[in-house]
Amino acid sequence: MMAADSDPESEVFEITDFTTASEWERFVSRVEEVLNDWKLIGSSAGKSSPEKGEYTSGIWEEKSQEINFADFKFSITHHYLKQESDEGEGKEEPEEDAFPLAMQDLLCMNNDFPPRAHCLVRWYGVREFLVISPGANCEAIISESKCNLLLSSISISLANSGCQVPMFVQIQQKWRRMYAGECQGPGVRTDFEMVHLRKVPSQYNHLSGLLDIFKSKIGCPLTPLPPINIAIRFTYVLQDWQQYSWPQQPPDFDALLGGEVGGVEFGKLPFGACEDPISELHLATTWPHLTEGIVVDNDVYSDLDPLQAPHWSVRVRKAENPQCLLGDFLNEFFKLCCRKESTEEVLGRGLAEEEGKENSDISAALSKLTEPAAVPIPKLSVSNMVHSARKRIRRHRRIDESPLSNDMLNSILLYLFPDAAVEKSSENSDSRTAQTNTDGKNGQDKDSDYNLFNQLKSAPSDSLTYRLALCVCLVNFYQGGLRAVAHLWQEFVLEMRYRWENNYLVYGLAGGPPDLRCCLLHQKLQMLNCCIERKRARDEARKAAEGGRERKASENGRLGPDGASAPSDHAREVSPGKSWDSWSDSEDEFFECLSDQEEVKEVPSAEGEKGGAKEAGKAKPEGRLHPHGNMTLLNAAEPLYIPVTQEPAPMTEDLLEEQSEVLAKLGTSAEGAHLRARMQSACLLSDMESFKAANPGCVLEDFVRWYSPRDYVEEEVEDEKGNTVFRGELSARMKIPGNMWVEAWETARATPVRRQRRLFDDTKEAEKVLHYLAVQKPADLTRHLLPCILHAAVLKLKEEESLEDIPSVRKAIQQATSHASKLLRHPIPDYKKLEDVINQLMAVETVIARARSLKAKFGIGKGERGEDAEDLEKFVSSLLEEPEVAVMGAGRGPAGSIIHKLFVSAQRGFLVDVEAALLAPLDEDLGRMGGADDRKPMGGGINVPDFPPPAGREILLRTCVPRPAPYSKALPQRLFCVLMREDFRLAGAFSSDTSFF
């Protein structure tokens, strides 16, 4: 029973369902869906013809989508030229039987031979088309049956959808760029066919043979054949520039390495390409409008002389990634950022051992410095120990172990520290000269430089830090890389130590506190200079004070009993049994700060009265600067004096960050806030003590009136007698219980600034800076100096660009600077992105080098001016910016005649080389037969053509004939022919009438 039931079911399953779509039908349907989605259905006619050159200057857009044929992936891509007239489309309704747009484009002559376009645009002149190509990892369509299947598919899709955009299928291997396609319109169809061979058949190696192919293909039955329009382009390649050599001068290694190093030579980065950045010049000679019979071009004769071509255009082929000097410098410098070695590891343990032998001397010097002594001991200073150690290191070090020779090192140090060339002096005038050496530039240069170093967070271009960066870069490139950099840095740190110990200001740094707009290393050097300034001022103030006391003592000795207390006062001042230096370095003692010298000058009367005022002590005013307007003390009729105060401590950005972290860690509790306020009020307390010393009998209100006037509120009131008077009181915030100002005022003692504890301990800060410098590895140094090197590179590029005047280069420099600015302002820059910035700068250098190469080849910049020179300059600048440039006047214009000479020179040179090679073996025989004088001059008996054989020939044939029958519509026909040494291509578009055939 079961078997009987199953029989009919099995018969049902054997029925073939012819309504099920096949894979081929699904593929056709999918293509139609894509055409619908992209709105490519219906007539494409009605658009205006493209303008001349629009295919090159216009914007081409494309969109893609994947489709499958069974399990085989294809990509369908829509390429089209974006035209402004698209929006105005539809104002005029096109005729029903108008040709599709692609057919109209076949005959359009405005965009023949576009220099930069898709190959199908060049071959067929279409402005919109679709391409179906195999997917990325799919094999090529090689078999003829598969090609025909795909062509059938697109033919059905176009017919079903009514799409008039031509559709192509990529066949054969991709490198062959083979396409077949179709375009359909109302009653018309165009077939796109292609032939590709490796060798040019001899019978088709000229115009007459190609015309025969074209005529036979269109098979026009009309006896006088309609005229065939011909456009021809021959391309000639110039590779050998001969005497137009690359103008780049090589760097003067002898001057750089021989010790003759001056600020001009050594302080500049090199620039330019080491090889010619222009490898080839392509000259295209074009005959745009010819007809059959006007010219003859066959296997025995040709009228196509390039000098007679009405249109010339030129493009240059640029050498890819030419070696450039500035780029090499930047790359080598940048590589140091990734090194891990310390200075000791780089220079070897030998130096560390030699230094170790001197440790006992240095430690002895430190111990002697800290011993109590009545007078300073200048000979036993750390710097003397360091310099004696340095001399011994150099004496014991073998010559071959030193990365930098003594001559080179001395030259570099002299460039970094030009003040070392003259005898050093500790006079204040010398220090001011060294300090203000950066003010010699004109205002405009300073402004532009300020903007640049502020953007890049580097350092001014006339600063020591900037010069050090240049030296490190040059030493790294020319003197052996990492070891030379480590050696230079070690010497630099020793020089900094020497200057600190001997009170010599560091040359090439702007005065004042560290500039937070600059790189950290520059700030550290400025901090060291601040320390040296404070130390020098303290020492000078001490000497001035001692000199003043001696004069007073002698005067008092002459005056007799009136000056009896002077000796005791002098004894009180000098009573400590320590030298001034060690006494002033102690944190528990007081010192005479920088402003004390001013105090001596400003208030001699106050100082002069100190002789008999020991008992009066606190009541005697000290440290007055000048009266504060007409103000008087609230509780006394005395004028209110502004005191001499300590300057706030200068800080670098890392110290500020450290301080911020410490304050943040105190938290938000009341106790933390109180502690934070106390830490921040050190300067306030110092100023209060100075104010009390200058204004005996003052109150907090007096201090607030001077220090923070807005916190003292005055109002008009009437007194008992009815007179209007002003009465003031502290502001509300000053009356808050536990106010820090009130607490500080109560704890402040009347202490003049010269006896206060230092807010800024220059000795401690200087040692911290020197230690920071000493522990920097070469890689750390490189990272610190990288902004300065980028700054120098940008300045160099701007300087070189100003000579060439290339707008695109100016824009590229601005973009690179902006990019670098964003990266360098980050606390930890992204070095991968900084490498991109360096690549941008290298690209700019290459463009400038190309401009110079072209200018040299076209003779620009040799002094002559006039219309021709201006035209040539425009021509050369256009060559850099545009893919192809038309030559005004063709071969008869100024640029054309130069190009002609270039080709002639190359041809003569090539012939000479060939003949020299051929005649070389015969030299000996010729010498025996009659000597060299009997020989003919090379090339004398051969007529050398001005131009080499064309590297490529393109011939475009067009006509409009009825096809396939005499009574069919006259439709456009086109054949594009490419003839090269190892490439022969025919790309034909043949239209036929599908209604009347």
Side-chain angles (χ1 to χ4, degrees):
M1 188 68 182
M2 292 294 291
D5 290 339
S6 62
D7 287 340
E9 289 180 10
S10 60
E11 288 176 10
V12 169
F13 279 112
E14 288 174 5
I15 295 173
T16 303
D17 186 2
F18 290 99
T19 61
T20 304
S22 64
E23 294 291 349
W24 175 65
E25 289 172 309
R26 288 198 188 95
F27 176 71
V28 172
S29 176
R30 184 72 187 113
V31 172
E32 291 175 26
E33 284 178 21
V34 172
L35 296 177
N36 274 292
D37 292 343
W38 289 346
K39 298 182 172 58
L40 300 178
I41 309 303
S43 173
S44 62
K47 292 184 182 179
S48 59
S49 297
E51 298 292 329
K52 193 168 185 63
E54 191 175 354
Y55 283 8
T56 305
S57 60
I59 300 170
W60 286 88
E61 294 188 352
E62 63 179 69
K63 47 189 173 184
S64 297
Q65 199 162 327
E66 283 193 355
I67 54 176
N68 289 352
F69 192 130
D71 56 351
F72 195 94
K73 287 187 177 179
F74 286 96
S75 173
I76 181 167
T77 308
H78 179 212
H79 300 263
Y80 58 99
L81 176 68
K82 190 174 181 181
Q83 291 179 285
E84 293 179 2
S85 58
D86 289 353
E87 297 172 4
E89 187 183 349
K91 289 180 181 176
E92 295 180 10
E93 289 295 326
E95 300 175 14
E96 286 188 13
D97 57 350
F99 289 162
L101 203 61
M103 285 193 185
Q104 299 172 30
D105 290 342
L106 292 177
L107 296 177
C108 180
M109 299 181 183
N110 288 340
N111 288 280
D112 293 344
F113 315 112
R116 187 166 52 192
H118 192 283
C119 60
L120 291 173
V121 177
R122 188 176 185 86
W123 296 334
Y124 296 117
V126 290
R127 72 184 99 166
E128 184 178 20
F129 57 95
L130 294 149
V131 177
I132 295 179
S133 54
N137 300 318
C138 298
E139 59 186 15
I141 311 296
I142 297 175
S143 71
E144 190 174 352
S145 60
K146 287 183 179 178
C147 293
N148 290 334
L149 183 64
L150 280 175
L151 285 171
S152 302
S153 303
I154 65 170
S155 183
I156 293 172
S157 299
L158 292 173
N160 290 345
S161 61
C163 175
Q164 295 187 5
V165 178
M167 189 180 291
F168 295 87
V169 176
Q170 187 168 15
I171 56 178
Q172 304 297 328
Q173 295 87 351
K174 286 195 175 182
W175 63 266
R176 296 185 66 181
R177 297 192 299 174
M178 289 278 288
Y179 296 89
E182 188 175 307
C183 176
Q184 293 187 13
V188 291
R189 185 182 77 234
T190 302
D191 294 305
F192 299 94
E193 304 170 11
M194 205 169 286
V195 173
H196 183 227
L197 302 174
R198 294 302 297 267
K199 294 290 181 184
V200 182
S202 58
Q203 66 270 32
Y204 303 130
N205 199 19
H206 39 73
L207 176 61
S208 57
L210 296 170
L211 280 168
D212 291 341
I213 294 181
F214 188 52
K215 290 174 184 175
S216 65
K217 182 64 182 176
I218 59 177
C220 181
L222 302 179
T223 42
L225 189 70
I228 296 176
N229 182 278
I230 304 169
I232 299 175
R233 167 173 286 208
F234 285 4
T235 301
Y236 299 88
V237 176
L238 179 64
Q239 292 174 311
D240 188 0
W241 301 101
Q242 285 300 316
Q243 73 266 28
Y244 297 89
S245 59
W246 171 225
Q248 173 68 32
Q249 294 297 319
D252 189 353
F253 290 98
D254 293 333
L256 281 167
L257 309 182
E260 300 174 4
V261 182
V264 176
E265 298 85 4
F266 204 77
K268 290 186 177 179
L269 290 173
F271 184 88
C274 300
E275 56 187 296
D276 197 335
I278 303 293
S279 58
E280 294 177 357
L281 181 140
H282 293 197
L283 169 65
T285 59
T286 308
W287 293 262
H289 304 296
L290 297 175
T291 53
E292 189 180 3
I294 289 182
V295 293
V296 176
D297 180 45
N298 54 37
D299 54 352
V300 293
Y301 175 78
S302 176
D303 286 332
L304 300 173
D305 179 6
L307 283 173
Q308 303 303 319
H311 292 294
W312 277 21
S313 56
V314 173
R315 66 165 67 195
V316 289
R317 186 174 179 184
K318 299 153 186 170
E320 291 190 12
N321 303 320
Q323 183 185 3
C324 293
L325 292 172
L326 180 61
D328 287 352
F329 265 63
L330 294 177
N331 271 329
E332 290 300 318
F333 186 83
F334 186 73
K335 286 176 185 175
L336 288 181
C337 295
C338 305
R339 303 297 290 266
K340 305 291 184 187
E341 301 92 328
S342 65
T343 303
E344 289 76 13
E345 289 170 344
V346 172
L347 295 178
R349 294 295 174 187
L351 295 183
E353 289 169 8
E354 292 288 348
E355 288 173 356
K357 292 177 184 177
E358 306 302 328
N359 283 345
S360 58
D361 292 340
I362 294 174
S363 61
L366 288 170
S367 64
K368 286 175 183 175
L369 277 173
T370 55
E371 286 176 6
V375 292
I377 312 173
K379 290 183 180 179
L380 295 176
S381 67
V382 173
S383 67
N384 289 330
M385 296 299 108
V386 169
H387 272 264
S388 64
R390 175 154 61 174
K391 286 175 185 174
R392 288 194 180 95
I393 290 170
R394 287 176 177 168
R395 193 163 58 244
H396 289 101
R397 189 195 294 163
R398 294 198 305 274
I399 303 278
D400 57 349
E401 288 179 350
S402 300
L404 295 173
S405 66
N406 282 338
D407 289 343
M408 172 55 74
L409 185 60
N410 289 334
S411 299
I412 294 172
L413 292 176
L414 190 60
Y415 168 68
L416 291 174
F417 306 103
D419 58 331
V422 295
E423 186 179 351
K424 291 181 181 176
S425 169
S426 58
E427 292 295 324
N428 196 41
S429 60
D430 292 347
S431 75
R432 293 302 166 202
T433 304
Q435 188 72 0
T436 58
N437 68 85
T438 61
D439 297 334
K441 294 164 65 174
N442 64 54
Q444 188 176 358
D445 287 348
K446 285 189 74 173
D447 287 344
S448 61
D449 181 52
Y450 163 77
N451 290 332
L452 194 55
F453 89 73
N454 192 24
Q455 271 184 289
L456 298 176
K457 199 170 172 58
S458 61
S461 59
D462 52 3
S463 66
L464 172 65
T465 317
Y466 185 92
R467 292 199 302 274
L468 175 64
L470 291 177
C471 288
V472 169
C473 191
L474 291 165
V475 159
N476 173 57
F477 195 81
Y478 289 129
Q479 298 289 328
L482 189 63
R483 294 189 74 239
V485 170
H487 186 190
L488 174 59
W489 179 239
Q490 185 184 58
E491 294 292 337
F492 183 87
V493 174
L494 288 173
E495 179 68 25
M496 292 297 102
R497 164 70 67 182
Y498 177 81
R499 285 179 176 257
W500 158 246
E501 291 292 338
N502 291 277
N503 283 3
Y504 296 133
L505 281 174
V506 180
Y507 180 88
L509 298 173
D515 189 345
L516 301 181
R517 298 165 304 181
C518 298
C519 63
L520 183 59
L521 182 63
H522 188 78
Q523 294 177 41
K524 291 290 183 185
L525 296 177
Q526 283 186 306
M527 175 66 92
L528 184 62
N529 241 13
C530 289
C531 297
I532 296 171
E533 272 192 330
R534 297 285 178 98
K535 185 181 171 190
R536 288 179 69 158
R538 194 169 70 248
D539 290 352
E540 287 165 8
R542 172 178 58 82
K543 289 175 184 174
E546 286 178 356
R549 290 192 200 102
E550 287 173 6
R551 283 196 303 274
K552 286 177 201 168
S554 61
E555 287 171 6
N556 289 338
R558 288 196 304 273
L559 290 172
D562 292 337
S565 62
S568 64
D569 180 60
H570 185 67
R572 180 177 60 81
E573 294 292 342
V574 193
S575 60
K578 298 188 289 183
S579 70
W580 173 267
D581 289 332
S582 57
W583 174 77
S584 64
D585 285 346
S586 168
E587 291 194 359
D588 298 328
E589 299 290 346
F590 304 105
F591 83 114
E592 293 184 358
C593 72
L594 172 64
S595 50
D596 188 58
Q597 189 177 2
E598 297 170 5
E599 182 185 350
V600 173
K601 295 176 184 174
E602 295 284 348
V603 209
S605 59
E607 293 290 342
E609 293 171 5
K610 288 200 300 182
K614 189 174 181 182
E615 293 82 3
K618 296 177 183 178
K620 206 72 176 173
E622 293 183 88
R624 288 178 169 179
L625 190 60
H626 58 77
H628 184 39
N630 297 323
M631 283 192 184
T632 57
L633 299 179
L634 294 174
N635 295 343
E638 291 290 323
L640 189 152
Y641 280 89
I642 294 176
V644 177
T645 57
Q646 291 195 56
E647 292 182 15
M651 300 190 83
T652 56
E653 63 183 28
D654 59 333
L655 293 177
L656 285 170
E657 191 176 344
E658 216 174 279
Q659 187 185 64
S660 300
E661 287 178 6
V662 170
L663 295 175
K665 285 178 182 176
L666 294 174
T668 55
S669 64
E671 185 181 353
H674 187 73
L675 188 56
R676 189 185 301 110
R678 285 184 68 85
M679 288 175 66
Q680 291 175 313
S681 63
C683 188
L684 175 67
L685 181 63
S686 167
D687 292 343
M688 284 181 171
E689 290 184 340
S690 302
F691 188 84
K692 280 188 174 182
N695 298 283
C698 63
V699 292
L700 176 61
E701 284 82 352
D702 292 318
F703 177 76
V704 171
R705 287 162 68 204
W706 162 62
Y707 206 80
S708 180
R710 287 188 297 179
D711 282 311
Y712 187 75
V713 183
E714 285 187 326
E715 56 183 0
E716 293 182 2
V717 294
E718 290 187 1
D719 61 3
E720 299 168 352
K721 298 178 182 180
N723 297 325
T724 302
V725 295
F726 288 95
R727 283 186 186 169
E729 59 179 357
L730 294 175
S731 64
R733 80 182 183 104
M734 287 291 177
K735 296 178 180 177
I736 297 172
N739 183 277
M740 184 52 62
W741 285 55
V742 177
E743 288 186 13
W745 183 260
E746 290 171 357
T747 56
R749 296 176 295 175
T751 310
V753 72
R754 66 190 179 87
R755 292 205 300 272
Q756 289 179 12
R757 177 176 171 177
R758 284 181 283 172
L759 290 176
F760 176 63
D761 188 343
D762 50 72
T763 309
K764 178 181 174 184
E765 292 301 327
E767 288 299 335
K768 282 168 69 176
V769 170
L770 291 169
H771 175 73
Y772 179 86
L773 298 179
V775 299
Q776 295 299 300
K777 296 178 181 179
D780 300 328
L781 172 67
T782 310
R783 292 191 196 102
H784 281 306
L785 295 178
L786 185 60
C788 294
I789 284 297
L790 292 177
H791 180 181
V794 169
L795 284 182
K796 185 68 177 175
L797 289 170
K798 283 187 171 182
E799 176 191 338
E800 300 292 336
E801 186 278 328
S802 65
L803 303 174
E804 309 302 331
D805 190 25
I806 310 168
S808 63
V809 166
R810 281 198 295 275
K811 187 177 179 183
I813 292 174
Q814 287 175 356
Q815 289 174 344
T817 306
S818 175
H819 190 192
S821 174
K822 291 174 185 173
L823 295 173
L824 292 171
R825 295 223 160 260
H826 197 274
I828 305 174
D830 186 336
Y831 286 95
K832 183 66 180 171
K833 290 182 179 176
L834 279 173
E835 193 172 7
D836 295 339
V837 171
I838 290 175
N839 291 334
Q840 284 178 277
L841 297 178
M842 288 168 62
V844 170
E845 181 186 18
T846 305
V847 172
I848 295 175
R850 285 171 183 157
R852 289 194 173 159
S853 174
L854 287 172
K855 285 186 176 180
K857 290 168 177 54
F858 284 91
I860 297 172
K862 294 183 179 176
E864 72 278 359
R865 299 299 301 169
E867 281 188 27
D868 287 355
E870 288 180 13
D871 291 343
L872 283 174
E873 284 186 11
K874 288 178 184 175
F875 175 73
V876 168
S877 62
S878 299
L879 273 178
L880 291 168
E881 308 282 341
E882 299 170 19
E884 191 170 280
V885 181
V887 180
M888 298 297 291
R892 295 167 297 283
S897 60
I898 292 174
I899 293 167
H900 181 204
K901 288 175 188 174
L902 287 171
F903 273 100
V904 169
S905 173
Q907 285 292 95
R908 301 289 186 273
F910 174 73
L911 183 70
V912 167
D913 292 342
V914 170
E915 287 193 354
L918 292 173
L919 294 175
L922 303 176
D923 282 350
E924 190 176 338
D925 297 333
L926 287 170
R928 283 198 300 266
M929 289 170 62
D933 294 338
D934 295 336
R935 282 177 282 174
K936 289 183 180 179
M938 288 186 180
I942 303 174
N943 183 20
V944 185
D946 290 355
F947 290 87
R953 290 172 291 162
E954 295 168 289
I955 299 174
L956 177 53
L957 307 175
R958 279 177 290 222
T959 189
C960 199
V961 297
R963 186 172 177 267
Y967 46 82
S968 300
K969 283 184 185 175
L971 298 173
Q973 319 292 329
R974 176 184 174 116
L975 180 66
F976 192 94
C977 316
V978 181
L979 294 82
M980 299 173 70
R981 187 175 178 184
E982 293 185 353
D983 193 74
F984 175 72
R985 185 184 302 273
L986 299 177
F990 303 104
S991 307
S992 53
D993 190 336
T994 56
S995 299
F996 301 97
F997 55 90

